[in-house]
């Protein structure tokens, strides 16, 4: 009897390679996400510090020209924060799409592995059946030989 060969092995291997690529892509997305979160956090801290300094300047009676410059810095920092939030949203959307792709490919792999197991079980049953038939045939041959010998 031939060795067991899964008929969809190429598809299974291809899907496993694709799964590894998706996991790598997801890891890269997560690295970008955490990096962007770090940048957002730093920008928010900078904004808070600028706001505190601005409040101190107001209380100290600093002239309006200096206050306008500080205000411009604060507005610029707020824009940077907004940009980071937009980038984070895009990265989150990418992450969701990648996770959906990963879930889909993993379910395909699981299905293929179930099919492979079923085919292997069928192969094993057929192999055992053939082994049984060979043994039965051998026993019948032995019985016929003994019967022939006894008749002579």
């Amino acid at each position: 009897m031939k060795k067991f060969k899964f008929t969809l092995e190429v598809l299974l291997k291809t899907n496993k390679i694709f799964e590894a690529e998706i996991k790598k892509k997801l890891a890269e997305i997560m690295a970008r996400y955490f990096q962007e979160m770090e940048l957002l956090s730093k920008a928010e801290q900078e904004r808070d510090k600028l706001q505190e300094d601005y409040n101190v300047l107001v209380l100290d009676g600093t002239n309006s020209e200096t206050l306008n410059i500080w205000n411009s810095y604060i507005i610029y920092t707020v824009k940077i924060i907004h940009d980071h939030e937009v980038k984070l949203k895009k990265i989150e959307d990418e992450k969701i799409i990648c996770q959906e792709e990963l879930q889909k490919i993993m379910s395909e792999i699981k299905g293929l592995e179930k099919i492979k197991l079923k085919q292997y079980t069928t192969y094993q049953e057929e192999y055992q059946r053939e082994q049984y038939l060979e043994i039965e045939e051998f026993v019948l041959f032995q019985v016929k030989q003994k019967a022939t010998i006894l008749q002579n």
Side-chain angles (χ1 to χ4, degrees), residues 46-54 70 73-74 77:
E46 180 67 21
R47 179 206 53 209
D48 293 344
K49 184 181 178 308
L50 287 171
Q51 189 65 47
E52 288 173 14
D53 291 347
Y54 180 83
W70 276 100
Y73 288 149
I74 293 170
T77 307

Side-chain angles (χ1 to χ4, degrees), residues 129-141:
R129 201 173 310 116
E130 285 185 16
Q131 290 292 319
Y132 178 76
L133 289 175
E134 284 180 22
I135 292 170
E136 192 174 89
E137 194 176 304
F138 179 73
V139 169
L140 284 175
F141 176 74

Side-chain angles (χ1 to χ4, degrees), residues 2 11 16 24 31 46 55 59 87-89 91 95 127 141-142 148:
K2 294 180 183 177
L11 182 60
K16 284 185 177 184
K24 182 180 175 185
E46 180 67 21
N55 292 339
L59 292 176
K87 286 180 184 177
L88 275 173
K89 176 64 177 137
I91 293 171
K95 181 180 78 168
Y127 180 75
F141 176 74
Q142 292 289 346
T148 306

Side-chain angles (χ1 to χ4, degrees), residues 85-152:
E85 290 170 342
V86 168
K87 286 180 184 177
L88 275 173
K89 176 64 177 137
K90 287 180 182 177
I91 293 171
E92 286 174 357
D93 292 344
E94 258 185 89
K95 181 180 78 168
I96 289 169
I97 291 169
C98 194
Q99 287 172 332
E100 288 171 354
E101 288 175 359
L102 182 59
Q103 186 178 11
K104 180 182 173 191
I105 199 71
M106 287 175 75
S107 70
E108 286 180 19
I109 289 172
K110 187 175 180 180
L112 288 169
E113 287 175 341
K114 282 183 180 181
I115 292 170
K116 182 178 183 177
L117 179 62
K118 190 172 184 174
Q119 282 185 5
Y120 184 72
T121 303
T122 303
Y123 166 81
Q124 287 287 74
E125 290 169 356
E126 188 178 314
Y127 180 75
Q128 288 174 353
R129 201 173 310 116
E130 285 185 16
Q131 290 292 319
Y132 178 76
L133 289 175
E134 284 180 22
I135 292 170
E136 192 174 89
E137 194 176 304
F138 179 73
V139 169
L140 284 175
F141 176 74
Q142 292 289 346
V143 168
K144 284 181 183 177
Q145 255 189 342
K146 284 184 183 180
T148 306
I149 291 173
L150 289 176
Q151 285 179 355
N152 291 337

